[in-house]
Amino acid sequence: MTTAKEPALYGFRTAGSILAGRHALEQLPQRLHELGRFRRAAIVAQPSILRQGTVDRMMAKLREEGISSFCTTEVQQEPTVENIREVTDKISAERPDLIIGIGGGSVLDAAKLISVLLTDPVDLHTLIGIDRVARPGLPAVLIPTTSGTGSEVTPNAIVTVPEQELKVGIISRHLLPALVILDPVLTLSLPPQITAATGMDAFTHAFESLISNKANPLSDMFAMESIRLISRNLLSAYHDGGDLEARESMLLGSMYGGMALTAAGTAAVHALAYPLGGKFGIPHGVANSMLLPHVTAYNRDAIGGRLVLAAQAMGLAGPNLTEEEAGDRVILTLREWTRQLSIPQDLRAYGVSDGDVDALTAAALQVTRLLANNPKAVDAEAVSALYRKLLP
């Protein structure tokens, strides 16, 4: 007699506190009082946010509460190990007791890493992987200004290792911030191309979490709501950046996508996207967008039921929708989105050639943590064929 397979355990943890809503940033000083008493804050910011005066206004508010602060905008768009180390050294000299990250995913990831390096100044290479951060960092406040990575609510940070031409993950509960502030007003100035890339990145987080081998009731809840919000608001936010309702829904959808991937993890799309960013500097959201329709088509015979759920969340489902119909509608919609969002479908636009496929394939196959989540086995032949789909 056979016994039923024991269901896998699943769990979830996220930021200590989340404050969301229009003009939520104005409440930062009051929320800091709930976290403790702080003397000096290091603000890690996107340069555009500094130019807009947002950081100056925030620093003035902090001064009123007796908290001095200083700002750095030296985090690179795709931060490397060396870049994080240099920024950490400069911040350390100022002896802060609080880290505030305000910007896109790269800035938020950097702020998380800096917070732990300030309390344990180890070689960042030793932290690559899962649960290798030994102790909590300084309290961190994360304020996203794009609707993309969901980094503000994940225990993940991505860093580029140039010598490997690869982007890698550092994953630890100690990277979770004490406070997250979601203020959609901060996203109103995002240009269309960044709205498109970050929005598709957020959608990919939710979609891959839904079809992941580690999908579970918690991740499904977050993934489905993320897919619903993004599907109904991405094009509106892209075509009318001043649509505050769409911007607010996208910011929530991005956060839910981050929560979904925290609970389930991403899969082959991300595994193949990392070498494109590490070797050719292709923005992460763009790489995900280019790959998503093709990887979904590759996976579709293994995810039929999940495609029905995705179609329902995307508003594509009619009565008695079959798995075949769901797959067709989802993939067609993904392709249509990339067209409307002006996302290239040819890697040659970024300097990739047919001669690069073998190296890209070898690099992608190193991302075993994510490939293991993919619902269909992925080997070198499959990876190579997927890259070649984008070299027509």
Side-chain angles (χ1 to χ4, degrees):
M1 183 179 71
T2 59
T3 57
K5 183 180 179 182
E6 184 74 16
L9 297 176
Y10 54 91
F12 177 71
R13 55 161 55 99
T14 191
S17 179
I18 299 170
L19 178 67
R22 301 174 187 186
H23 305 291
L25 182 58
E26 296 177 5
Q27 299 298 312
L28 173 62
Q30 295 92 313
R31 293 289 168 157
L32 287 179
H33 286 308
E34 299 174 7
L35 298 180
R37 298 182 64 179
F38 300 103
R39 174 189 56 82
R40 187 155 174 76
I43 300 172
V44 183
Q46 201 97 10
S48 59
I49 298 298
L50 183 64
R51 290 193 297 270
Q52 292 166 13
T54 303
V55 172
D56 288 338
R57 291 190 292 273
M58 184 166 59
M59 294 173 77
K61 288 279 189 181
L62 293 174
R63 278 196 302 272
E64 292 174 3
E65 302 298 321
I67 303 173
S68 67
S69 59
F70 62 99
C71 178
T72 177
T73 60
E74 296 180 25
V75 172
Q76 297 170 354
Q77 186 173 359
E78 302 284 347
T80 63
V81 170
E82 181 64 17
N83 177 230
I84 297 294
R85 186 194 63 78
E86 291 175 350
V87 176
T88 300
D89 288 346
K90 291 180 180 180
I91 289 176
S92 179
E94 297 283 344
R95 301 178 66 83
D97 53 6
L98 174 70
I99 301 294
I100 300 174
I102 179 167
S106 294
V107 164
L108 302 188
D109 282 1
K112 291 193 285 190
L113 292 172
I114 291 166
S115 77
V116 298
L117 291 175
L118 288 172
T119 61
D120 189 15
V122 299
D123 181 350
L124 193 59
H125 290 91
T126 66
L127 304 183
I128 294 170
I130 301 174
D131 291 334
R132 295 183 178 176
V133 178
R135 58 182 63 92
L138 293 181
V141 178
L142 299 184
I143 307 163
T145 61
T146 66
S147 301
T149 66
S151 175
E152 67 275 7
V153 292
T154 77
N156 305 355
I158 304 301
V159 64
T160 299
V161 183
E163 60 269 26
Q164 298 180 21
E165 297 184 329
L166 193 62
K167 296 170 71 173
V168 297
I170 297 172
I171 304 168
S172 169
R173 67 188 186 279
H174 297 313
L175 294 181
L176 289 167
L179 172 65
V180 168
I181 293 180
L182 296 179
D183 188 340
V185 175
L186 299 176
T187 69
L188 288 174
S189 60
L190 280 179
Q193 67 271 24
I194 297 179
T195 299
T198 56
M200 285 299 296
D201 188 22
F203 181 88
T204 305
H205 292 157
F207 185 86
E208 286 211 287
S209 296
L210 186 68
I211 60 96
S212 167
N213 285 333
K214 294 194 297 187
N216 60 72
L218 287 172
S219 63
D220 285 354
M221 175 182 67
F222 293 124
M224 290 287 284
E225 183 62 5
S226 176
I227 291 171
R228 186 187 72 81
L229 287 169
I230 295 170
S231 298
R232 288 159 175 75
N233 292 281
L234 174 56
L235 294 179
S236 297
Y238 175 75
H239 290 297
D240 180 7
D243 185 338
L244 187 53
E245 185 174 344
R247 291 292 196 186
E248 189 164 17
S249 293
M250 288 297 298
L251 193 57
L252 284 172
S254 174
M255 181 188 70
Y256 289 141
M259 290 177 169
L261 76 86
T262 296
T266 53
V269 172
H270 276 71
L272 271 67
Y274 283 157
L276 293 174
K279 185 174 177 64
F280 293 96
I282 300 176
H284 184 59
V286 172
N288 280 340
S289 306
M290 297 173 79
L291 289 160
L292 183 58
H294 301 292
V295 176
T296 302
Y298 171 80
N299 282 330
R300 68 179 293 174
D301 60 344
I303 58 171
R306 293 269 131 176
L307 286 171
V308 173
L309 292 177
Q312 291 170 346
M314 294 168 72
L316 305 176
N320 305 314
L321 184 72
T322 67
E323 293 182 1
E324 187 70 19
E325 291 169 335
D328 288 343
R329 293 182 188 184
V330 168
I331 293 168
L332 180 64
T333 299
L334 295 177
R335 289 174 173 157
E336 177 61 17
W337 283 354
T338 61
R339 186 190 68 79
Q340 289 200 41
L341 297 170
S342 299
I343 292 172
Q345 280 294 301
D346 189 342
L347 288 172
R348 289 186 177 86
Y350 295 95
V352 183
S353 70
D354 293 277
D356 296 309
V357 171
D358 288 347
L360 287 170
T361 298
L365 290 173
Q366 294 180 43
V367 193
T368 54
R369 175 177 62 88
L370 301 185
L371 292 177
N373 291 342
N374 203 67
K376 186 175 178 178
V378 181
D379 58 16
E381 182 180 357
V383 172
S384 176
L386 286 165
Y387 281 133
R388 293 188 188 282
K389 293 282 188 183
L390 295 170
L391 290 166

